[in-house]
Amino acid sequence: MKELILKKIIFRKRLSLSIFITCIILMWAGLLVLLYYQFNDNINSLNFTLFLIFFVCVLFSTMGIYMSKFFKTYIATVNKLSEKEASIFVEQGRSRPFAEKWLPSFIIFQHKVKFFKLLKQPEYAFAEIKSIQFKRFNFTKSRQDCRITIQLVDGRQHHYNVNGNLNQRTYLKNEAMACNPQIIINDQYA
């Protein structure tokens, strides 16, 4: 089961990164062509547009690095899944939308939950969590319309926007309560 999940994730990684790298190469090539013509015309008149394009190229290149780290962390997390957790992962995937079928916003494994966002992938043990709140988040155009607020025992709060799928929310609530019966669950999504 884990091999199937890894195969699907690696396919999405290759597809995403190849499209992204192609775009980055085209942007850098376009910038170099613009710089070549700019320097041939007048070396003293570098304009704002070239600096803006350079900034966008650097920004996209940095995002490519973060995207690569994102997939590396995702694959490492899937490798830690037990066979039972892998079968639950696939079963949960049937109820998720297409974009999150093989790359959900969070994975539950080994009495922990790990959230996946592009810049960070925090992991929380259910024993460290004091409360979990689910709330509808209407200020988004994507399907990630559920805001999960996790309050840790030390008082810190963390917010994550995920898909408001009922099966996914129920699975998170059940696993949290099974691992730590003291967790306070507040579901205001409905």
Side-chain angles (χ1 to χ4, degrees):
M1 193 65 66
K2 203 184 306 186
E3 294 80 22
L4 172 70
I5 298 169
L6 288 172
K7 181 179 168 185
K8 298 287 187 175
I9 291 173
I10 289 171
F11 172 74
R12 281 160 177 76
K13 173 187 175 183
R14 288 182 181 154
L15 182 67
S16 301
L17 288 177
S18 63
I19 291 171
F20 202 76
I21 288 171
T22 303
C23 291
I24 289 172
I25 289 171
L26 290 174
M27 284 191 314
W28 279 104
L31 178 66
L32 292 175
V33 167
L34 284 173
L35 282 173
Y36 173 76
Y37 284 114
Q38 186 70 31
F39 280 130
N40 280 345
D41 289 342
N42 185 0
I43 198 163
N44 293 328
S45 66
L46 286 179
N47 57 13
F48 176 73
T49 308
L50 290 176
F51 287 116
L52 182 63
I53 293 171
F54 177 72
F55 175 74
V56 170
C57 288
V58 170
L59 182 69
F60 268 74
S61 299
T62 306
M63 282 180 54
I65 293 168
Y66 278 110
M67 188 181 290
S68 178
K69 287 181 181 180
F70 169 84
F71 279 111
K72 186 176 180 180
T73 305
Y74 220 106
I75 290 170
T77 303
V78 169
N79 280 326
K80 293 178 186 176
L81 293 177
S82 67
E83 283 302 316
K84 179 183 175 193
E85 292 166 339
S87 63
I88 291 172
F89 182 96
V90 172
E91 181 183 317
Q92 288 288 318
R94 293 187 187 116
S95 65
R96 289 191 288 260
F98 178 76
E100 286 198 2
K101 185 170 184 147
W102 297 104
L103 296 171
S105 298
F106 63 87
I107 295 178
I108 298 172
F109 67 103
Q110 300 172 357
H111 306 293
K112 301 178 211 169
V113 61
K114 186 167 198 157
F115 289 90
F116 291 93
K117 298 298 174 193
L118 184 61
L119 300 178
K120 60 181 179 176
Q121 296 84 32
E123 179 177 295
Y124 307 104
F126 286 118
E128 299 172 347
I129 299 174
K130 180 179 179 182
S131 68
I132 302 174
Q133 179 184 17
F134 300 89
K135 192 172 184 180
R136 185 176 290 275
F137 186 65
N138 294 325
F139 305 108
T140 182
K141 293 182 181 179
S142 69
R143 292 183 179 219
Q144 295 189 337
D145 62 345
C146 179
R147 173 166 274 183
I148 295 178
T149 303
I150 293 185
Q151 183 171 2
L152 300 177
V153 175
D154 63 6
R156 292 181 292 152
Q157 284 189 346
H158 302 278
H159 305 281
Y160 301 98
N161 295 334
V162 299
N163 185 286
N165 183 322
L166 177 63
N167 289 338
Q168 200 168 280
R169 289 191 339 259
T170 304
Y171 175 55
L172 178 58
K173 287 188 259 184
N174 291 343
E175 287 296 315
M177 291 301 287
C179 295
N180 183 2
Q182 286 87 23
I183 290 180
I184 300 167
I185 303 290
N186 184 4
D187 192 352
Q188 300 174 358
Y189 182 81

